Amino acid sequence: MAATVAARQDRSAIARSAATTRRWILAVGALALLILGAAAAWCQRGLAAAHALARHGLWTEVHAPLGRFLLVHPRSPAANLLCAEALVKDDSQPLFRRITESIARLERIPDRAPEGAQARIATARIQLFLRYEPSAAWHSLQRALALDPGSLEANLLSWRLLELLGRIDDVEPFFWRSYELSPAADRPLRLREWYASQFFPQSSLADLDTLMGFRQAPSDPPDLVEGRRLQRFLRAEPDQPWNHAALARWFLSRAEPDFSRELLNRSRDLLTDEQRCDPFYVATEIDVCCELGEGEQARAALERWPSSDRGRRYDLARGRVLQEAGDDPAGAVTAYDAALAIWPGPVDWRTVTRVATCLARTGDEAGAAARREEARRIEQLMQEAFHQQLFRGLANLGDPAVLSDAEAFYRGLGRDREADGWAAARAVVERGRGPGDTDSQASDGRQ
């Protein structure tokens, strides 16, 4: 009997102990959940805190709260986008870390995310402005535009990138898209930037060249600055055809075709056969060959031109080969006229002069005389004194007389679309609602 009572007491004690243990476990678990919940809430608030710091430009302080949030949401597109921005803008971080880690963060953001296009644009900025890789930046921008064709930022940056490579003949589609996407008040700024890019390209890029370290002093000659820029691009991307072609064209502009030839010869060991068929590269090679009197090589280069990309640049190259290497002046006239129908054909008086020369060779003296007169008319519109005055005047977009001069200039070229834009800007000013003239960071794509 006593043994039975003792056994019952033991079982009761064990039950009480087990119950106490369960209560402790539940209490500890509840406390742990409370702590975890508080920690999660603390981390969750990190993104909002980081955004608040970023709005005040406190980039060094952004990392800690953002890092807490990323512990909980490591693949958050918004958080990774902000993290990349903070890394790029935090000058206290080593440059190599800022570049590599920011790109790694951006690569975590898929194209399908709402932030996908913005991530590709951010990547392009790093590639262009910090890594000096225009070809890589171009591919990132085209990805962004495929995701969001209505991105003003991507169109502006594509425009500037082509300018940096000296490809001003190729920027028109990006200008018009940027113009259409810009608020009405900013459209005069776009027109001014367009004018500068076509007629004062080196001045148009002055701020960017300074930002990127190519202009080391205000007195640096513009052509020297351009040479530094193109050489830096080539060092960063020696395996890309655009960089070889751009630098070769720079040497051509300095009347040094032998250096252009040497550069293109070296590029053969660095580029694939497919890359050597890039239209910009092939057109450059043709111009170099023609300058050096290498007719056979020019014809061979033209045969490499891809059939999928035969616009103005192809027509110019074909015309030159037919004129200088093919002894076909009539065919050259047809090719040149096709090129002159596309901007910057209306201001390309040199090509009009080539047409006149070809017509004279065919025996059409009347046609040649008419084209020579056309070339003189265009050349007069290109007089440096006029453009210097107009360029300086356009610093003040509130002056209706200057806007009227810009309108008249484009009317004289038969470019009614630009002329209508300047007329609209003048009408706004004259109604007393001037568009103003702000410091346009958009001129280099940095919205």
Side-chain angles (χ1 to χ4, degrees), residues 241 271-279 282 304 306:
L271 304 178
T272 66
D273 290 342
E274 181 180 1
Q275 287 175 317
R276 291 182 60 241
C277 292
D278 176 85
V282 176
R304 297 203 319 271

Side-chain angles (χ1 to χ4, degrees), residues 206-236:
D207 289 344
L208 265 186
D209 280 327
T210 300
L211 174 71
M212 298 175 76
F214 305 129
R215 183 180 300 278
Q216 297 168 5
S219 60
D220 285 351
D223 64 329
L224 176 62
V225 173
E226 183 182 15
R228 286 174 184 158
R229 181 202 316 141
L230 298 177
Q231 290 178 64
R232 184 66 182 86
F233 287 165
L234 183 57
R235 288 199 303 273

Side-chain angles (χ1 to χ4, degrees), residues 12 38 67 80 88 92 104 106 115 121 154 159 179 181 186 209 240 246 250 268 278 291 353 360 363-364 377 415:
S12 177
N80 278 291
V88 168
S92 70
L106 293 168
E115 297 84 357
I121 295 171
W159 171 1
Y179 181 81
L181 292 167
D186 290 343
D209 280 327
Q240 295 299 320
W250 181 76
R268 291 195 182 98
D278 176 85
E291 288 295 323
T353 301
D364 184 358
R377 181 185 66 80
R415 296 285 292 187

Side-chain angles (χ1 to χ4, degrees), residues 232-269:
R232 184 66 182 86
F233 287 165
L234 183 57
R235 288 199 303 273
E237 291 182 315
D239 58 345
Q240 295 299 320
W242 287 7
N243 300 321
H244 291 276
L247 187 56
R249 284 192 173 277
W250 181 76
F251 281 118
L252 272 183
S253 72
R254 296 168 63 88
E256 298 181 88
D258 289 329
F259 283 102
S260 302
R261 164 54 64 206
E262 181 181 346
L263 181 65
L264 293 177
N265 286 342
R266 289 202 304 266
S267 72
R268 291 195 182 98
D269 297 329

Side-chain angles (χ1 to χ4, degrees), residues 12 15 24 44 64 120 122 127-128 150 185 204 222 237 257 277 289 296 317 342 349 361 363 399 432 443 445:
S12 177
W24 274 105
Q44 193 75 22
R120 307 294 81 83
Q127 291 166 329
L128 181 59
S204 173
E237 291 182 315
C277 292
C289 289
E296 289 298 326
I342 304 169
W349 60 269
R361 285 176 59 188
D399 184 346
S443 64

